[in-house]
Amino acid sequence: MPEGDAIHAAARRVGAALVGQPIESIETPQPRHARDRWPERLAGRGVRAVDARGKHLFVRFDGELTLHSHLRMGGRWGVFRRGERWRRSARRAWLILRTPEHDVVQFDGPVLELMTEGRNRFDRRLARLGPDVLADELDESGFLRRLREDDPARGIGEALIDQRNLAGIGNKWKSEASFLAGVSPWRRLSDVSEEEALRIVGEARRLMKASLDGDRADRGHGRRVFERAGLPCPRCGTIVRARGQGDDNRTTYWCPACQS
Ligand SMILES: [Zn+2]
């Protein structure tokens, strides 16, 4: 699943292709959108900004209309030079925006909706999102308050990927950051200090910003525990473990010796 760093990177690429450029055409090939008339509603409008919050991406058009996208497990934003081959089948395209130089395509995106700025601001799902882990300045007090209001018996690993506590972090960075902070993802929230919670988030921010800025080592090639079950911990040699955690049973990875 794309995590916040991948979505922020997509927002940069999509923004670079669309902002300030004439939009020549807009297509919504899937039958689900046939009656939405987006091409008509968006005709003649420029793109003012493209930004991300957590795993959500927003394409903001002139005149208070915003496209909201969430890729869930398998979606992707592609930016291609006009004439370049798309790397996914055109049948999987949900949205195609064309400028004189680029095709910007959203593939396999189950959440794609056009909303007014007013609705966007008051949308309940978006209003419930926690602070963005990749915000320039992390809203630490907002994050800690949400953690305190969560179930104290919940494991910190599960709480960290709950987008209502913190937006943008997913399973990979949660596992890696917990390892670097030396905190077991299974520790109950009631036993995690504020300093420890912030230490994990600090590590996640550092890893995700490095990934966003194109550091391949931190994009997964330098993984310490994530998807390394059964292999020795790079720090102490103990065998890394993996087990499903939380209601969604997402696999969490940890070193039982380095993390307590
Ligand atoms: Zn270890």
Side-chain angles (χ1 to χ4, degrees):
M1 177 191 271
E3 298 193 22
D5 52 320
I7 304 301
H8 278 260
R12 281 187 188 172
R13 283 186 291 121
V14 170
L18 295 181
V19 174
Q21 299 299 315
I23 309 295
E24 292 189 339
S25 70
I26 296 170
E27 294 167 46
T28 53
Q30 302 295 331
R32 186 194 290 188
H33 294 296
R35 294 212 198 124
D36 292 346
R37 298 176 39 253
W38 292 355
E40 291 86 342
R41 293 175 66 192
L42 293 171
R45 297 175 196 262
V47 172
R48 197 161 49 73
V50 178
D51 52 273
R53 180 160 169 219
K55 302 179 190 176
H56 300 257
L57 185 145
F58 303 92
V59 180
R60 302 184 193 277
F61 288 83
D62 293 331
E64 305 275 285
L65 280 174
T66 294
L67 275 169
H68 165 222
S69 141
H70 190 295
L71 301 174
R72 297 225 195 273
M73 297 305 276
R76 188 185 151 78
W77 280 94
V79 177
F80 310 101
R81 296 233 148 234
R82 288 288 290 267
E84 184 191 346
R85 238 191 91 185
W86 297 354
R87 265 158 269 140
R88 279 193 191 191
S89 158
R91 277 189 316 230
R92 295 164 70 177
W94 284 67
L95 175 72
I96 306 159
L97 299 161
R98 286 201 168 90
T99 71
E101 292 186 19
H102 291 100
D103 296 336
V104 174
V105 190
Q106 198 235 41
F107 297 100
D108 300 320
V111 176
L112 184 64
E113 55 185 351
L114 184 62
M115 53 208 310
T116 61
E117 282 292 326
R119 217 197 103 203
N120 188 343
R121 216 167 294 134
F122 295 106
D123 185 89
R124 287 175 59 198
R125 291 159 307 163
L126 296 175
R128 279 200 302 258
L129 279 181
D132 189 330
V133 63
L134 281 170
D136 289 337
E137 209 168 312
L138 179 69
D139 175 9
E140 293 187 352
S141 60
F143 164 63
L144 292 172
R145 177 173 47 76
R146 286 163 185 256
L147 270 197
R148 276 196 302 273
E149 289 166 359
D150 202 341
D151 177 359
R154 209 175 187 197
I156 178 74
E158 184 189 354
L160 281 171
I161 58 173
D162 185 331
Q163 303 295 298
R164 292 171 298 188
N165 290 327
L166 188 66
I169 194 169
N171 212 26
K172 176 171 69 178
W173 297 128
K174 172 262 292 185
S175 295
E176 293 287 282
S178 301
F179 172 79
L180 290 172
V183 176
S184 166
W186 298 95
R187 188 135 33 111
R188 300 153 139 251
L189 283 182
S190 54
D191 298 331
V192 177
S193 69
E194 294 194 339
E195 188 271 327
E196 287 170 320
L198 290 177
R199 198 181 339 142
I200 301 173
V201 175
E203 294 289 0
R205 278 170 63 81
R206 194 174 56 73
L207 293 170
M208 293 175 79
K209 279 177 189 280
S211 160
L212 180 57
D213 293 333
D215 183 338
R216 283 173 59 80
D218 274 327
R219 199 181 290 155
H221 299 265
R223 275 176 205 160
R224 296 140 189 105
V225 290
F226 182 71
E227 293 183 341
R228 287 179 44 89
L231 296 171
C233 165
R235 187 183 283 163
C236 76
T238 302
I239 297 301
V240 170
R241 295 187 58 192
R243 201 195 315 156
Q245 183 175 33
D247 292 339
D248 295 336
N249 205 32
R250 302 294 304 283
T251 305
T252 201
Y253 300 84
W254 80 105
C255 169
C258 292
Q259 294 167 263
S260 58

